[in-house]
């Protein structure tokens, strides 16, 4: 494996772009390949077998592009497929972990709320995370059906999005949560609205920067970091509609980019 090779990143859709942004900040010299599996988003209401099969197919594609590492920029795919991916692929697989640990360190009220998909909240990984950190603080899991669809539609601040968020965030605040964890990579794009609803005293945290740090640590340990003087590039693929993906990636990545069709999906 060569340090000059790219890093592969994927998500059920465009949510993983929040992780891609953190990776770009942490590793400016790396070439990044991003796959949005938008034809099949949301993963949250699919079976574990389906998500696993999609994660394997996308990882195979990324490996065919000579990636030196894969970042599973999706909490739901992490819960459903990370163990299988690690057993099937030789490249390092870096995955998501909701920021429960920093949240337990941050809370003053002793109550933290976690916004995630129902599949993530029910996953073994998550149940273990709950058990590990839930002894001294109260952890409230809140499933958020509909939010991934709003981000996939590019609606980050409209009425429907606001009403959904109010419905999910208010009960957590009423139960005393002073720290909210964004346990789905789509949600950081809704962070300004979440912060507005929760108020400035509530901390809203996600794990994108921590995942980027972990990726850097892993590449460094394996002597796979690209020359930091290089200017990194990004390439995008989607299994969804091209025009939609193009507009959405431009909106969220804030640069006009070319998106390609994911081959044979
Ligand atoms: N971004 C994915 C996650 O982190 C969204 C899940 C979904 O597609 O339902 O969970």
């Amino acid at each position: 494996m060569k340090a000059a090779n790219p890093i592969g990143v994927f998500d059920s859709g465009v949510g993983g772009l929040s992780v891609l942004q953190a990776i770009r900040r942490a590793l400016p010299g790396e070439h990044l390949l991003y796959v949005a599996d938008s034809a099949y988003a949301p993963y949250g209401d699919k079976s574990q077998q389906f998500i696993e099969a999609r994660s394997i197919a996308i990882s195979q594609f990324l490996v065919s592009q000579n990636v030196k590492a894969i970042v599973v920029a999706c909490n739901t795919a992490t819960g459903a497929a990370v163990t299988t991916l690690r057993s099937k692929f030789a490249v390092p697989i870096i995955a998501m972990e909701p920021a429960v640990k920093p949240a337990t360190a941050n809370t003053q009220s002793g109550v933290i709320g976690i916004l995630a998909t129902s599949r993530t909240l029910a996953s073994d990984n998550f149940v273990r995370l709950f058990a590990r950190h839930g002894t001294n603080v109260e952890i409230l899991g809140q499933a958020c059906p509909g939010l991934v669809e709003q981000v996939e539609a590019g609606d980050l601040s409209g009425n429907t999005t606001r009403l959904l968020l109010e419905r999910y965030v208010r009960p957590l605040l009423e139960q005393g949560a002073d720290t909210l964890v964004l346990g789905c990579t789509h949600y950081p794009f809704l962070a300004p609205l979440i912060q507005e609803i929760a108020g400035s005293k509530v901390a809203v945290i996600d794990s994108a920067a921590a995942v980027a740090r972990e990726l850097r640590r892993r590449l460094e340990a394996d002597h796979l970091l690209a020359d930091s003087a290089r200017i990194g590039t990004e390439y995008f693929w989607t299994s969804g509609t091209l025009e939609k993906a193009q507009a959405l990636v431009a909106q969220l990545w804030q640069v006009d980019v070319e998106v390609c069709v994911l081959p044979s999906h």
Side-chain angles (χ1 to χ4, degrees):
M1 196 57 66
K2 292 202 196 82
N5 289 18
I7 296 164
V9 181
F10 77 91
D11 177 43
S12 63
V14 290
L17 292 174
S18 63
V19 180
L20 200 73
Q21 278 168 347
I23 296 174
R24 175 46 73 233
R25 273 195 289 272
L27 298 164
E30 299 291 343
H31 294 326
L32 306 175
L33 311 185
Y34 185 87
V35 176
D37 202 16
S38 298
Y40 303 99
Y43 278 176
D45 58 13
K46 309 287 188 306
S47 71
Q48 193 253 332
Q49 289 81 349
F50 183 88
I51 301 167
E52 198 173 76
R54 289 306 305 154
S55 302
I56 292 170
I58 294 167
S59 299
Q60 266 157 355
F61 167 72
L62 290 170
V63 167
S64 78
Q65 302 294 310
N66 296 319
V67 295
K68 60 184 175 185
I70 293 176
V71 178
V72 184
C74 175
N75 292 81
T76 311
T78 296
V82 73
T83 312
T84 307
L85 294 181
R86 287 195 172 127
S87 71
K88 272 192 179 302
F89 297 96
V91 295
I93 309 273
I94 288 85
M96 301 304 298
E97 178 172 302
V100 177
K101 198 174 162 199
T104 55
N106 178 73
T107 183
Q108 301 287 315
S109 67
V111 185
I112 67 174
I114 303 187
L115 303 163
T117 66
S118 15
R119 184 158 285 288
T120 294
L121 293 175
S123 71
D124 290 347
N125 283 358
F126 198 73
V127 170
R128 273 198 296 274
L129 204 61
F130 242 80
R132 203 171 339 130
H133 297 291
T135 41
N136 298 324
V137 297
E138 193 182 348
I139 302 178
L140 308 169
Q142 174 65 59
C144 305
L147 284 189
V148 168
E149 288 89 331
Q150 291 307 109
V151 176
E152 288 293 314
D155 184 350
L156 308 183
S157 56
N159 263 345
T160 313
T161 307
R162 179 181 288 273
L163 286 174
L164 276 172
L165 278 175
E166 280 174 355
R167 190 193 305 158
Y168 299 139
V169 170
R170 288 253 156 83
L172 298 172
L173 304 176
E174 278 157 18
Q175 290 171 84
D178 66 351
T179 309
L180 299 178
V181 174
L182 307 184
C184 167
T185 56
H186 280 74
Y187 302 168
F189 292 112
L190 303 172
L193 195 49
I194 295 173
Q195 191 75 68
E196 188 191 317
I197 292 166
S200 57
K201 292 203 177 82
V202 171
V204 177
I205 54 182
D206 68 69
S207 41
V211 169
R213 275 198 302 276
E214 172 60 14
L215 171 65
R216 189 192 170 92
R217 192 198 61 74
R218 189 65 200 272
L219 292 176
E220 222 161 18
D222 294 350
H223 307 288
L224 285 175
L225 271 183
D227 178 358
S228 60
R230 189 173 78 169
I231 295 173
T233 56
E234 301 94 26
Y235 289 88
F236 299 88
W237 285 266
T238 181
S239 58
T241 326
L242 264 193
E243 304 77 69
K244 234 177 99 179
Q246 196 100 31
L248 201 51
V249 174
Q251 179 189 353
L252 301 178
W253 190 250
Q254 294 178 340
V255 183
D256 253 340
V257 293
E258 197 193 333
V259 182
C260 299
V261 177
L262 182 67
S264 62
H265 60 273

